[in-house]
Amino acid sequence: MSSKLHFYNTISRKKEEFIPANPPFVGMYVCGPTVYGDAHLGHARSAITFDIVFRYLKHLGYKVRYVRNITDVGHLENDADYGEDKIAKKARLEQLEPMEVVQYYKDRYHREMDALNNNRPSIEPQASGHIIEQIAMTEKLLENGFAYVSEGSVYFDVEKYAASHHYGKLSGRKIEDLQSNSRDLDGQSEKRSPLDFALWKKASPEHIMRWPSPWSDGFPGWHIECSVMSSKYLGNSFDIHGGGLDLLFPHHECEIAQSVGANGEEPVRYWLHNNMITLNGQKMAKSLGNTIMLHEFFSGDNELLDQSYDPLTIRFFILQAHYRSTLDFGNEPLQAAQKGYSKLKTALASARSLSIEWKPESDEVTALINKWSDECAAAMNDDMNTALTIATLFDMASYINGLKNVQEKRIPSKAQFEEIINIFAAYFEDVLGLGSESTGSQNVEVLDDVMDVLLELRTTAKENKDYGTADAIRDKLKAIGVTIMDGKDGADWQVDA
Ligand code: ZN
């Protein structure tokens, strides 16, 4: 068991001790969503994985600048260099301005990530707000000889780069294999090689998202935004880059080539990738008819679901697996997760209100406390093994329940028990983010609606001279900390401080 934090670094393919370049500061960049549709489980897993990295680094005392982008331009269909822009396509189908699509799905993404108890990043830059910087980096790549202009578009010259650098170092792909496997598709003929990728694309007449540039009215390629926004906010070389495994190639491989080609420095010291999610053993895909959106899990509104699931049950389920393993979703495992999560939550709540006859401090209990504390730290230090951390929390929950049910013989002192609660809460609430203190705006909105319904029922009861019911509503709400205030214009309410 290690006492120091280690990450599995995708680029070296081994676990390495995490040593930031400039402690206590840590820079972390994570590829965020392309906001043209609702978030699914893959979005949730990536956001939760890097929220855990963010939380744990802060728990260890680091000052983390966490940058996660919003892709709102340049991501074309099939992740390719041709086809329609995903956002422009949605805008065309819905008859909206593209930025209306972006705002709508960005807001929904935020609400859903809040409900999952993810911290918001320190900076959330949008690609469309960094067009000037993307043009500047493209100019630098042209200057350095790693890019060329063709028909008003600019492409990165992969073979030229590969002559002096290792292209494929992250994904492990070999340039010879890529060359023999790629074929020229229609519309790619303006590239010198099918391996080349767009830095700037000339806009066709019907393309609405366009900006002036030295080469054409057009738009940036998909990969360049991340090279630009990471270096702008974290410097040319920074500590951690994260994202889903599906972004490894070509997106992250291209990011390295662009950043090295433009700045002459390796951009990232630790590359972290979370694995994918399957549903009942199958890959989720629209064509298979088995995609479930995140909000459908929360509402239960999908025929593949037996019930709705609390966002924190989803979070707990995701954290029960290591982020580098695949994770299979289904109703049964989710229901099991719901029970497990409830067991831990209940144990912490009952620990906080437990009052028994405490014993003098004993070495036996001290040893137990040290063991749990070491186990939680070692699990997190071992490449964020949240599954093992949760296993230790279950041990602690059993002990707490044993005390509550007067079966446990190892009775702690009051101070020892407080230490146990502190360890439990530090990992359960702060590090894993499983406390139910979520103040997600979605919850607030639901509360508003629920209160409207209750006040309406009370008004109806009063109109019917059913004062018993009206008073019971008022008194029961008061008991749970909500005060109703009757006024001339009807009733209002507030949550007691
Ligand atoms: Zn990216």
Side-chain angles (χ1 to χ4, degrees):
M1 284 195 291
S2 170
S3 61
K4 288 186 177 155
L5 175 57
H6 285 65
F7 286 130
Y8 179 87
N9 196 343
T10 314
I11 201 159
S12 68
R13 291 164 180 75
K14 58 176 191 242
K15 284 184 195 170
E16 291 175 19
E17 186 183 342
F18 177 64
I19 305 168
N22 189 24
F25 302 100
V26 172
M28 173 163 87
Y29 186 90
V30 174
C31 289
T34 303
V35 283
Y36 70 103
D38 275 324
H40 52 67
L41 283 172
H43 293 107
R45 191 175 198 193
S46 179
I48 290 171
T49 298
F50 295 102
D51 182 50
I52 296 293
V53 177
F54 185 39
R55 284 169 179 270
Y56 190 56
L57 289 170
K58 286 198 295 183
H59 172 82
L60 295 177
Y62 291 112
K63 296 188 186 316
V64 189
R65 185 182 294 163
Y66 169 21
V67 182
R68 186 181 66 206
N69 69 307
I70 293 278
T71 297
D72 59 356
V73 65
H75 196 170
L76 305 187
E77 287 177 300
N78 310 312
D79 298 349
D81 278 344
Y82 55 94
E84 206 171 349
D85 182 291
K86 291 185 181 194
I87 286 157
K89 182 178 181 183
K90 186 81 179 177
R92 177 173 60 76
L93 295 172
E94 310 261 315
Q95 295 188 299
L96 294 168
E97 147 70 28
M99 283 302 139
E100 273 181 290
V101 172
V102 168
Q103 191 70 48
Y104 179 78
Y105 286 108
K106 189 175 72 172
D107 288 349
R108 285 174 73 86
Y109 177 77
H110 283 153
R111 276 204 291 274
E112 286 164 12
M113 295 307 128
D114 287 349
L116 290 167
N117 221 7
N118 287 320
N119 285 297
R120 295 216 179 167
S122 329
I123 306 174
E124 197 173 44
Q126 289 185 207
S128 66
H130 296 75
I131 301 293
I132 290 169
E133 291 90 338
Q134 293 178 78
I135 290 173
M137 189 178 264
T138 302
E139 280 176 327
K140 217 162 160 193
L141 285 166
L142 281 165
E143 236 171 74
N144 294 353
F146 294 117
Y148 57 91
V149 183
S150 173
E151 316 271 338
S153 292
V154 186
Y155 292 98
F156 189 92
D157 192 333
V158 171
E159 282 169 27
K160 178 89 182 289
Y161 175 81
S164 51
H165 297 82
H166 184 180
Y167 183 81
K169 69 203 296 185
L170 181 68
S171 60
R173 300 196 188 203
K174 290 201 170 64
I175 189 137
E176 306 79 45
D177 298 343
L178 291 168
Q179 280 161 334
S180 59
N181 289 334
S182 59
R183 56 210 160 87
D184 247 324
L185 292 161
D186 283 345
Q188 289 194 328
S189 51
E190 60 191 42
K191 292 183 188 180
R192 285 179 192 164
S193 152
L195 298 188
D196 297 349
F197 55 89
L199 300 167
W200 186 264
K201 284 285 284 181
K202 180 181 175 178
S204 56
E206 68 276 12
H207 195 101
I208 33 182
M209 299 174 85
R210 53 168 70 217
W211 290 264
S213 81
W215 316 289
S216 62
D217 267 16
F219 55 92
W222 174 35
H223 314 303
I224 189 88
E225 65 175 276
C226 288
S227 284
V228 158
M229 295 190 286
S230 59
S231 60
K232 174 164 174 137
Y233 298 109
L234 299 171
N236 288 348
S237 171
F238 57 94
D239 295 309
I240 298 171
H241 193 312
L245 207 48
D246 53 333
L247 296 177
L248 189 67
F249 189 89
H251 186 56
H252 291 159
E253 196 73 66
C254 294
E255 249 187 88
I256 296 178
Q258 289 165 159
S259 296
V260 172
N263 305 322
E265 281 183 73
E266 272 302 319
V268 177
R269 304 177 58 240
Y270 301 85
W271 279 97
L272 273 52
H273 289 94
N274 65 277
N275 213 321
M276 300 290 101
I277 279 174
T278 53
L279 186 72
N280 299 319
Q282 264 191 323
K283 187 175 179 256
M284 273 191 280
K286 279 208 183 98
S287 56
L288 297 171
N290 70 346
T291 42
I292 308 180
M293 293 299 155
L294 208 44
H295 67 85
E296 293 172 333
F297 279 97
F298 300 168
S299 67
D301 190 16
N302 185 305
E303 57 185 14
L304 295 169
L305 296 173
D306 295 347
Q307 59 170 94
S308 65
Y309 296 96
D310 184 84
L312 292 184
T313 296
I314 304 276
R315 184 180 180 95
F316 181 79
F317 181 65
I318 287 176
L319 294 178
Q320 271 187 310
H322 190 264
Y323 74 89
R324 283 191 291 113
S325 353
T326 54
L327 179 59
D328 190 41
F329 263 70
N331 283 292
E332 268 177 48
L334 272 171
Q335 283 154 8
Q338 194 172 26
K339 286 199 189 98
Y341 174 53
S342 163
K343 185 179 175 188
L344 293 185
K345 206 165 65 168
T346 311
L348 180 58
S350 50
R352 280 175 167 152
S353 61
L354 188 68
S355 175
I356 56 167
E357 203 176 304
W358 309 108
K359 290 274 156 62
E361 192 169 312
S362 72
D363 291 348
E364 193 187 17
V365 176
T366 302
L368 206 53
I369 294 172
N370 291 341
K371 176 174 117 54
W372 288 329
S373 170
D374 290 350
E375 276 178 9
C376 286
M380 291 305 294
N381 284 337
D382 185 14
D383 193 30
M384 307 278 149
N385 197 332
T386 53
L388 273 183
T389 313
I390 288 173
T392 298
L393 292 178
F394 273 118
D395 278 354
M396 297 176 78
S398 298
Y399 175 80
I400 292 164
N401 290 337
L403 290 174
K404 197 170 95 182
N405 305 330
V406 210
Q407 288 159 333
E408 177 59 59
K409 301 279 182 290
R410 298 164 295 180
I411 311 285
S413 72
K414 182 108 180 49
Q416 282 180 317
F417 193 63
E418 270 161 20
E419 206 181 331
I420 291 171
I421 294 178
N422 287 342
I423 295 167
F424 197 111
Y427 285 95
F428 187 71
E429 293 181 335
D430 303 342
V431 173
L432 300 180
L434 289 166
S436 47
E437 83 287 6
S438 165
T439 51
S441 51
Q442 199 177 30
N443 295 349
V444 173
E445 275 172 30
V446 170
L447 179 62
D448 278 335
D449 294 344
V450 169
M451 284 307 299
D452 287 345
V453 171
L454 283 170
L455 292 179
E456 209 179 296
L457 286 172
R458 184 164 167 270
T459 305
T460 311
K462 274 179 160 178
E463 282 165 358
N464 296 335
K465 304 212 185 319
D466 178 4
Y467 297 111
T469 303
D471 289 348
I473 292 174
R474 184 197 58 207
D475 295 343
K476 285 186 174 175
L477 285 170
K478 182 73 199 164
I480 56 165
V482 179
T483 301
I484 292 186
M485 297 156 300
D486 287 304
K488 272 185 237 145
D489 311 323
D492 203 350
W493 59 277
Q494 66 176 34
V495 177
D496 299 340

